[in-house]
């Protein structure tokens, strides 16, 4: 990943904040960031209403670029549904075979509470290759009792059902291996409801926020703005563990993400 500083400056405006907000309102459409979910079918889900439209202006932020997809990830993030500022520890991409051709589907950014580094001293001085191959290291990162998040950014248009099918294909076997049973399947079905019946356009961001101890907060944004609400809140230790193993485990669907994390840890430890 490479670092850069993105900034937005607004010049030539006088008269205070109201004219600025008026100008922005005339230029941009501000939309609520939640869609209703049937909580009677999935009682452990929480749907969050948006009390009012909110406008967030980020003047500057440090980012790192995932080189293969050219997607920029902020180096720090307060993910929707959480209250902890998380640090980017690596990024990568997922690709799928379509008609025997591998295509990039989305970029991935992995965020952790920086306190996790205090528990990784035993890996200090190891090479990037040693870190990448160390299953115990990635298991510790995935299971560390701190808040963590995955940000997914689509780099092509994908039907929601297709996106979910690929993710379900990776998560389900892990739930079965963990003997998650009916409760695990119910949590997985509730997770899938967020994506079914919707279109995920190029540039869509998906936030998967693991809030301690075992709550998964799911949010979706059609652009680069961070949603101020979540679309689903699911309490399931088996689901969050399986989901993060999909990206950080030995059989990760994104080896490039593990490579990036190993590289970042080599520099940070």
């Amino acid at each position: 990943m490479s670092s850069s500083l993105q900034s937005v400056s607004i010049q030539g405006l006088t008269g205070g904040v109201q004219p600025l907000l008026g100008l922005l309102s005339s230029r941009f459409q501000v939309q609520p960031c939640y869609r209703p979910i049937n909580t009677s079918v999935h009682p452990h889900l929480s749907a969050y209403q948006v009390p009012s439209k909110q406008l967030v202006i980020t003047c500057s932020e440090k980012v790192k670029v995932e080189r293969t997809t050219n997607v920029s990830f902020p180096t720090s993030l307060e993910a929707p549904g959480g209250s902890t500022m998380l640090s980017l520890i690596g990024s990568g991409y997922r690709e799928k075979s379509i008609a025997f051709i591998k295509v990039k589907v989305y970029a991935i950014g992995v965020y952790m509470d920086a306190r996790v580094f205090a528990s990784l001293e035993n890996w200090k001085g190891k090479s990037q290759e040693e870190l990448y191959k160390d299953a115990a290291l990635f298991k510790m990162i995935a299971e560390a009792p701190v808040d963590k998040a995955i940000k997914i950014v689509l780099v092509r248009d994908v039907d929601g059902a297709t996106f979910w099918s690929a993710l379900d294909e990776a998560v389900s076997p892990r739930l079965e291996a963990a003997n998650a049973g009916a409760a695990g399947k119910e949590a997985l079905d509730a997770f899938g409801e967020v994506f079914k019946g919707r279109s995920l356009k190029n540039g869509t961001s998906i936030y998967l926020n693991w809030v301690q101890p075992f709550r998964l907060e799911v949010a979706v944004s059609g652009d680069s703005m961070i949603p101020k609400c979540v679309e689903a809140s699911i309490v399931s230790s088996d689901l969050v563990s399986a989901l993060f193993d999909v990206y950080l485990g030995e059989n990760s669907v994104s080896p490039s993400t593990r490579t990036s994390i190993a590289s970042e840890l080599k520099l940070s430890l």
Side-chain angles (χ1 to χ4, degrees), residues 143-265:
E143 297 181 355
V146 298
D147 289 358
K148 54 192 77 92
I150 292 171
K151 179 181 178 181
I152 292 172
V153 180
L154 274 293
V155 294
R156 63 190 304 113
D157 293 350
V158 180
D159 177 78
T162 301
F163 173 86
W164 173 246
S165 176
L167 190 54
D168 179 40
E169 184 180 81
V171 176
S172 288
R174 289 168 166 85
L175 287 175
E176 292 175 9
N179 296 316
K185 186 179 187 309
E186 184 183 6
L188 185 66
D189 289 345
F191 186 23
E193 286 298 318
V194 175
F195 305 104
K196 296 174 183 177
R198 76 191 301 165
S199 179
L200 302 174
K201 299 295 185 181
N202 186 352
T204 296
S205 296
I206 299 169
Y207 299 84
L208 308 174
N209 187 17
W210 180 349
V211 180
Q212 291 298 308
F214 303 119
R215 191 172 82 247
L216 178 65
E217 305 282 12
V218 186
V220 181
S221 172
D223 52 32
S224 60
M225 301 297 288
I226 300 175
K228 289 300 176 183
C229 57
V230 299
E231 300 196 19
S233 181
I234 307 167
V235 178
S236 170
S237 59
D238 290 324
L239 177 61
V240 289
S241 295
L243 179 61
F244 274 72
D245 187 70
V246 166
Y247 295 100
L248 301 181
E250 286 189 88
N251 298 313
S252 170
V253 299
S254 176
S256 60
T257 298
R258 281 177 55 109
T259 298
S260 175
I261 292 173
S263 175
E264 289 295 313
L265 291 179

Side-chain angles (χ1 to χ4, degrees), residues 21 27 31 59 77 97 114 213 217 256 268:
L21 293 179
R27 293 285 301 279
Q31 296 179 333
C59 293
L77 171 72
S97 294
E217 305 282 12
S256 60
S268 300

Side-chain angles (χ1 to χ4, degrees), residues 49-64:
Q49 299 269 346
V50 181
S52 62
K53 296 177 181 179
Q54 300 186 47
L55 179 64
V56 179
I57 305 171
T58 301
C59 293
S60 65
E61 63 178 2
K62 189 175 181 181
V63 301
K64 289 189 175 182

